[in-house]
Amino acid sequence: MKATIKTAFLTFALMCSMGMSASGTDNNTVKKRIQYGPSLMSATCSSDDAAPVLKAKSVKANVGVIANEGYIINAVIAVSVGTEKARFYEGQKSGSSYVIQAEKGVYDIMAYIASENSDEEIFLFKENVDLSSTKSIMLTQREATISTEISQKTPGGGDIILPSAGNRGNCSVADYMLMIRHSQYGTLLQSESVSFKNSCKRISVNLVPSRMSFTRMDEYSWEFGPIFVVNPIDFGKAVNGPDKDGWENVATSFAKTPMSDSWNKTQDMPYF
């Protein structure tokens, strides 16, 4: 979405002024934030539903996760299947594996792995796991052979390249957010990366989950104006997202507020 901005694009400008500017940050830095389970306050289950008190007779799932060098295991979680009230459990690291202590039942188990620079996000699933007794499960990154690339194209068909990759002084920023929704639980995980250079382009899975859907949202403070893209992810496609077609062009201006007026008096107009 290409826009003509007559006053400051305040959101990103404030990010720059509050210490997130490219000029004061290593060019390769990726700021990452992950939320999952009850912390997201899902619309389909309350926090009480999502974090039940374990009964005396609970079971354990010992989940081993093997990640390649240069990749980080961010979370191992389980969500119940076919229960009246959704149940969510987080795996706790114990040695080389993760232990999920849960009520007896059937669960979808997911491990979330990302490259150190967040250019690739990987999700490993084991569906319909019957936890009627303690079980051991192994998930391996090499099994994540289903992959899609996120298209990052301008309305003209060129690549969206953050200018800060070559010039650290203009405060160009990208905010990449991936949300995963479980059909019986609600919003299960939200992963957000803020970058001055890296493109967060690839999502890989070991299988296409039957109860989970992925939505990727990209927001750019780009040299030619702000761009916002929403991509429902289809793992049947090699590339997800816009090409040069299908864009909407919007020209707009923003009304002054007391905050923006006082801020603009002390700051140069943003590069974009």
Side-chain angles (χ1 to χ4, degrees), residues 81-203:
V81 176
T83 55
E84 184 177 348
K85 292 185 177 181
R87 298 198 298 264
F88 171 93
Y89 299 98
E90 178 185 358
Q92 302 299 320
K93 188 169 176 56
S94 176
S96 59
S97 63
Y98 291 79
V99 176
I100 298 174
Q101 190 88 19
E103 292 185 44
K104 291 182 179 180
V106 178
Y107 292 85
D108 287 340
I109 293 175
M110 181 184 81
Y112 169 38
I113 302 170
S115 59
E116 290 178 346
N117 63 5
S118 291
D119 262 8
E120 182 179 20
E121 295 184 288
I122 296 170
F123 297 88
L124 305 175
F125 299 97
K126 190 78 171 178
E127 296 186 302
N128 300 312
V129 177
D130 184 2
L131 291 184
S132 54
S133 59
T134 296
K135 281 196 174 177
S136 295
I137 299 162
M138 181 61 68
L139 297 170
T140 306
Q141 181 177 337
R142 69 170 180 267
E143 297 174 350
T145 57
I146 303 169
S147 186
T148 189
E149 184 176 329
I150 305 301
S151 172
Q152 293 167 334
K153 297 292 184 181
T154 71
D159 292 328
I160 297 175
I161 298 173
L162 295 176
S164 51
N167 178 356
R168 298 174 62 189
N170 58 28
C171 194
S172 292
V173 180
D175 191 351
Y176 309 101
M177 183 181 294
L178 180 67
M179 299 186 74
I180 301 178
R181 182 174 178 82
H182 190 278
S183 62
Q184 297 181 18
Y185 178 86
T187 303
L188 185 65
L189 181 142
Q190 174 182 298
S191 167
E192 183 179 14
S193 301
V194 178
S195 175
F196 303 101
K197 180 177 180 180
N198 295 91
S199 56
C200 303
K201 285 185 72 83
R202 187 163 294 279
I203 303 172

